[in-house]
């Protein structure tokens, strides 16, 4: 479970810093940053993905409370496919689902 959480945190961080997203991090030992914090905001919106599909995306903001590895800004934001806009929702296989107040 700890390894899964570490991998999830790494994934979230890579989304927050797109320049690093091209590098595949296989486990937490290779990660340059591992922030832990609380989800403070989630904003769902419609947009096109890289394949031209019109989907729901979520912009997630996390307040960094602890840095297990590396240094991070006090708040980081990243975008994931899926989320909710009004009464419409989209869940994407293998993508995390965030809730305001969750700690990751």
């Amino acid at each position: 479970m700890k390894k899964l959480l570490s991998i999830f945190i790494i994934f979230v961080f890579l989304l927050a810093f797109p320049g690093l997203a091209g590098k595949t991090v296989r486990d937490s030992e290779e990660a340059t940053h591992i922030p832990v914090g609380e989800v403070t905001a989630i904003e769902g919106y419609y947009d096109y993905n890289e394949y031209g599909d019109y989907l729901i995306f979520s912009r997630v903001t996390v307040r960094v409370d602890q840095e297990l590895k590396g240094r991070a800004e006090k708040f980081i934001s990243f975008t994931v496919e899926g989320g909710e806009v009004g009464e419409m929702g989209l869940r994407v296989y293998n993508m995390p689902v965030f809730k305001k107040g969750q700690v990751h």
Side-chain angles (χ1 to χ4, degrees):
M1 183 69 173
K2 270 189 164 183
K3 183 167 179 126
L4 180 62
L5 179 60
S6 295
I7 291 170
F8 172 74
I9 291 170
I10 292 166
F11 173 76
V12 168
F13 182 79
L14 289 176
L15 290 175
F17 297 93
L20 299 175
K23 179 184 177 200
T24 303
V25 177
R26 298 189 186 268
D27 62 27
S28 61
E29 293 173 2
E30 294 178 10
T32 58
H33 296 78
I34 304 176
V36 176
E38 180 179 340
V39 176
T40 59
I42 303 169
E43 176 188 356
Y45 62 93
Y46 289 98
D47 202 356
Y48 292 93
N49 69 5
E50 62 191 75
Y51 305 107
D53 302 318
Y54 194 59
L55 303 173
I56 295 175
F57 290 83
S58 291
R59 180 138 183 94
V60 180
T61 302
V62 175
R63 182 189 68 240
V64 177
D65 297 323
Q66 183 180 8
E67 296 149 329
L68 300 179
K69 190 173 186 181
R71 301 280 304 158
E73 299 292 324
K74 185 66 179 165
F75 289 89
I76 58 174
S77 294
F78 52 91
T79 301
V80 294
E81 283 188 9
E84 297 178 358
V85 175
E87 294 184 13
M88 185 64 76
L90 173 67
R91 299 288 178 251
V92 178
Y93 177 75
N94 270 349
M95 291 298 266
V97 176
F98 296 94
K99 301 280 185 206
K100 190 173 179 180
Q102 282 181 324
V103 176
H104 293 279

